[in-house]
C-alpha cells in the first residue's frame, strides 16, 4: 500500500524541515502539500541553513508578456523563472535580508521580496533634500526618468534596526554626488543624514553592525552613528574615524569603485579597478572599447590603519548593484562557492546609456590571491540600460 506522506506527524515534518541545508530545499519541501507547507511555516523563524546569494538577472524588454525574470542559483548552477511584474521598469539593488530595494518608473521606492512578494513602501526620490529647482530644471520627458533611475540614485542600502524583540527596516539612499539620506517605511519624505562639506567626506558605501551604521568615505575615512538615530527625523551628525595611513593612497589612480564590507569580525575596504579594453574580439558589441574590471585590492582595518591583504580566509565577497555582502563558505557550499574570492556585477552606471555597452557585461569572480578572473554565469540575459544583474540573499520567511 502506498504511503500517505501528507499524514506524517507535524512534529516529525518540522524536525525534517529543520535539517534541510538550503533555501531551495526548504522551498521545495513547503510545496509538497498543505501539511508539509504548514510544517515548514511553523519552523521558518528557527531555520538556520546555508544561504548562497542568488543573482536576479536583467529583465527582457521584448516578447515577455508574463513579466518573467530569471534568478540564477550558484548553489546548483540552475536558473528559476519567476513572474515579477513588480520589478519591471525599476532599478534594483540587492540586500542580505531577502528583499531588494527598487526605484520604479514613478520614482517611488519599495522594498520587495521576490519570493514571498511582500512589499514595503518608501517615499519618492523627488522628496530627497535638494533645492526644488534641482528637479524642475531637468524635467524633459523620458530622459528625466532615465536620469533619475540611472544617474541620480547611486545606491539604495537596507538597514535593519533592532529594538527590543522587534526590528524595522530603514533605507539609506546615496544620490547624485554621494549625498546621503534615509527614510522608514511609511515616511512621506527623505531626511538628510550627512551633507558633505568637501569631496573627501562623500560616502560611497555603508555597513551595519551591532545596531550601528558605518559609512566608507571617498578618502577611506569612516563615519559612524547609531542606527536607532535614523528612526527620528532630525539631522543625524555622525562621528568620524580617519585611519592614519590615508595619505599613502593614490585615490586618483585609474577608474576606481569602492566598497565597504563587514566580513566576520573584520571591516574590509575593497577597491575595484577598471581599464579600457579594445573590443576587437567581442562580437556582441560594435564599439571600439569597453571598460572592464581588471583588478581588486582588499584592505583590512587593523587598529588605526588600512592593511592590504590577499587572504580573507573562508569568506566570499559579493559586490556590485547590491549591498556589499560577505558569506562564509561552509563545507556544504564549497562545491559551488569559492572562498577568498570576490563575485562582482557591473555597477558603473555612466556606461549604461551606451547602446553597445549596456550594464551587465562586466561581471565575474576574482581570485584575491592569484588575481585571476573567470566567469560564473554563461547566459546571454545579463545586459540592461538601467538594471543589470544584482545579488540578493534569498529569504522566504518574510
Amino acid at each position: 500500500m502506498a504511503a500517505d506522506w501528507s499524514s506524517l506527524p507535524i512534529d516529525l515534518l518540522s524536525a525534517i524541515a529543520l535539517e534541510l541545508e538550503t533555501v531551495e530545499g526548504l522551498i521545495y519541501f513547503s510545496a509538497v502539500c498543505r501539511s508539509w507547507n504548514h510544517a515548514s511555516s511553523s519552523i521558518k523563524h528557527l531555520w538556520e541553513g546555508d544561504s548562497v546569494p542568488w543573482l536576479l538577472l536583467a529583465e527582457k524588454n521584448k516578447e515577455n508578456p508574463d513579466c518573467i525574470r530569471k534568478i540564477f542559483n550558484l548553489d546548483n548552477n540552475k536558473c528559476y523563472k519567476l513572474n515579477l511584474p513588480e520589478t519591471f521598469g525599476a532599478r534594483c539593488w540587492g540586500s542580505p535580508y531577502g528583499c531588494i530595494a527598487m526605484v520604479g518608473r514613478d520614482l517611488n521606492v519599495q522594498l520587495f521580496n521576490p519570493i514571498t512578494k511582500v512589499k514595503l513602501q518608501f517615499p519618492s526620490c523627488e522628496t530627497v533634500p535638494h533645492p526644488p529647482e534641482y528637479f524642475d530644471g531637468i524635467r524633459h520627458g523620458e530622459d528625466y526618468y532615465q536620469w533619475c533611475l540611472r544617474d541620480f540614485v547611486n545606491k539604495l542600502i537596507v538597514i535593519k534596526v533592532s529594538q527590543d524583540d522587534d526590528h524595522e527596516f530603514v533605507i539609506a539612499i546615496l544620490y547624485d554626488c554621494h549625498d546621503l539620506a534615509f527614510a522608514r517605511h511609511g515616511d512621506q519624505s527623505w531626511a538628510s543624514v550627512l551633507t558633505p562639506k568637501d569631496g573627501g567626506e562623500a560616502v560611497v558605501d555603508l555597513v551595519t553592525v551591532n545596531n550601528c551604521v558605518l559609512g566608507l568615505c571617498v578618502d577611506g575615512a569612516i563615519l559612524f552613528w547609531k542606527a536607532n538615530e535614523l528612526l527620528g527625523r532630525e539631522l543625524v551628525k555622525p562621528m568620524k574615524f580617519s585611519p592614519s595611513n590615508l595619505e599613502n593612497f593614490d585615490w586618483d589612480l585609474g577608474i576606481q569603485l569602492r566598497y565597504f564590507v563587514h566580513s566576520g569580525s573584520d571591516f574590509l575596504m575593497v577597491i575595484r579597478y577598471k581599464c579600457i579594453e579594445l573590443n576587437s574580439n567581442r562580437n556582441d558589441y560594435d564599439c571600439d572599447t569597453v571598460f572592464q574590471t581588471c583588478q581588486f585590492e582588499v584592505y583590512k582595518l587593523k587598529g588605526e590603519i588600512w592593511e592590504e591583504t590577499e587572504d580573507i580566509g573562508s569568506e566570499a565577497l559579493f559586490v556590485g548593484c547590491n549591498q556589499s555582502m560577505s558569506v562564509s563558505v561552509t563545507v556544504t557550499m564549497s562545491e559551488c562557492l569559492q572562498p577568498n574570492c570576490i563575485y562582482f556585477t557591473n555597477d558603473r552606471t555612466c556606461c549604461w546609456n551606451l547602446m553597445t555597452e549596456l550594464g551587465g557585461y562586466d561581471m565575474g569572480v576574482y581570485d584575491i590571491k592569484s588575481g585571476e578572473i573567470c566567469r560564473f554565469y554563461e547566459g546571454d540575459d545579463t545586459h540592461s540600460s538601467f538594471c543589470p544583474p544584482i545579488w540578493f540573499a534569498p529569504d522566504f520567511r518574510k
Side-chain angles (χ1 to χ4, degrees):
M1 186 175 69
D4 182 7
W5 296 104
S6 63
S7 64
L8 289 174
I10 187 68
D11 291 345
L12 176 59
L13 290 173
S14 299
I16 294 173
L18 283 172
E19 294 299 317
L20 297 172
E21 295 177 340
T22 65
V23 170
E24 180 189 40
L26 202 51
I27 291 174
Y28 286 158
F29 182 95
S30 66
V32 170
C33 64
R34 184 173 298 178
S35 61
W36 288 41
N37 181 273
H38 176 64
S40 65
S41 298
S42 67
I43 56 88
K44 285 193 296 187
H45 63 291
L46 300 174
W47 184 78
E48 296 180 349
D50 294 331
S51 181
V52 177
W54 288 2
L55 189 71
L56 179 66
L57 295 170
E59 70 178 60
K60 284 189 175 182
N61 294 322
K62 297 179 180 179
E63 299 178 0
N64 191 10
D66 296 325
C67 297
I68 297 298
R69 295 273 303 252
K70 284 204 264 184
I71 291 179
F72 176 67
N73 185 0
L74 276 171
D75 197 24
N76 55 17
N77 284 323
K78 290 184 178 180
C79 281
Y80 311 115
K81 293 181 179 180
L82 295 180
N83 175 254
L84 297 176
E86 298 88 348
T87 68
F88 271 71
R91 185 162 169 219
C92 306
W93 291 262
S95 84
Y97 304 116
C99 50
I100 59 177
M102 307 187 304
V103 180
R105 282 185 52 80
D106 57 2
L107 301 185
N108 286 328
V109 177
Q110 289 183 340
L111 275 186
F112 174 66
N113 187 320
I115 298 175
T116 65
K117 304 296 184 73
V118 171
K119 288 188 290 187
L120 295 177
Q121 190 70 42
F122 287 78
S124 167
C125 289
E126 294 185 288
T127 66
V128 296
H130 259 306
E133 63 272 14
Y134 186 83
F135 279 102
D136 293 338
I138 58 171
R139 291 180 184 274
H140 46 282
E142 184 67 22
D143 290 343
Y144 166 72
Y145 293 101
Q146 288 294 321
W147 173 82
C148 288
L149 290 176
R150 186 173 55 236
D151 299 323
F152 177 70
V153 181
N154 290 314
K155 200 167 191 176
L156 294 181
I157 299 174
V158 183
I159 299 170
K160 188 176 180 180
V161 182
S162 298
Q163 290 187 313
D164 299 324
D165 295 329
D166 201 4
H167 67 265
E168 183 169 3
F169 286 119
V170 174
I171 291 182
I173 180 172
L174 291 166
Y175 60 96
D176 199 23
C177 298
H178 299 281
D179 284 346
L180 181 61
F182 68 92
R184 299 178 299 170
H185 166 54
D187 283 348
Q188 299 301 308
S189 63
W190 295 86
S192 292
V193 173
L194 170 74
T195 303
K197 291 182 172 55
D198 58 65
E201 292 183 354
V203 177
V204 294
D205 206 357
L206 299 175
V207 300
T208 56
V209 58
N210 296 332
N211 246 18
C212 289
V213 180
L214 296 89
L216 178 69
C217 298
V218 169
D219 62 358
I222 297 173
L223 303 175
F224 58 98
W225 55 91
K226 293 181 180 179
N228 57 17
E229 291 178 324
L230 304 183
L231 298 179
R233 299 297 295 173
E234 66 278 0
L235 180 67
V236 176
K237 183 178 180 181
M239 299 179 68
K240 185 173 182 179
F241 170 73
S242 297
S244 58
N245 62 332
L246 293 183
E247 66 276 4
N248 299 333
F249 290 94
D250 187 355
W251 300 109
D252 297 323
L253 183 63
I255 301 170
Q256 300 179 9
L257 297 170
R258 301 181 191 104
Y259 309 93
F260 198 21
V261 191
H262 182 226
S263 179
S265 59
D266 296 318
F267 292 101
L268 305 177
M269 176 173 62
V270 179
I271 304 178
R272 175 179 180 175
Y273 293 91
K274 290 200 171 197
C275 57
I276 297 176
E277 189 176 276
L278 290 178
N279 198 25
S280 58
N281 296 322
R282 296 173 70 99
N283 296 324
D284 49 345
Y285 304 106
D286 56 14
C287 59
D288 294 330
T289 59
V290 293
F291 292 93
Q292 194 77 25
T293 296
C294 56
Q295 180 185 352
F296 283 89
E297 291 177 354
V298 180
Y299 293 85
K300 186 181 297 186
L301 190 61
K302 288 279 193 177
E304 296 185 356
I305 65 170
W306 286 113
E307 182 178 285
E308 188 171 7
T309 180
E310 294 183 349
D311 184 9
I312 58 172
S314 62
E315 299 296 308
L317 308 182
F318 292 80
V319 302
C321 284
N322 57 275
Q323 218 160 322
S324 302
M325 293 183 277
S326 177
V327 174
S328 295
V329 181
T330 63
V331 174
T332 57
M333 295 180 182
S334 59
E335 292 185 2
C336 65
L337 209 58
Q338 302 177 49
N340 203 40
C341 285
I342 301 172
Y343 290 78
F344 62 93
T345 58
N346 187 11
D347 60 346
R348 190 168 185 265
T349 59
C350 62
C351 292
W352 294 357
N353 59 340
L354 301 177
M355 291 302 295
T356 53
E357 196 171 316
L358 300 176
Y361 69 92
D362 183 24
M363 50 189 262
V365 54
Y366 178 85
D367 187 298
I368 297 174
K369 190 172 184 63
S370 69
E372 295 181 353
I373 296 177
C374 61
R375 294 181 64 83
F376 59 82
Y377 179 72
E378 299 295 339
D380 60 357
D381 44 5
T382 60
H383 303 157
S384 171
S385 63
F386 61 92
C387 188
I390 63 168
W391 295 110
F392 75 99
D395 194 340
F396 61 94
R397 293 171 292 184
K398 54 183 178 296

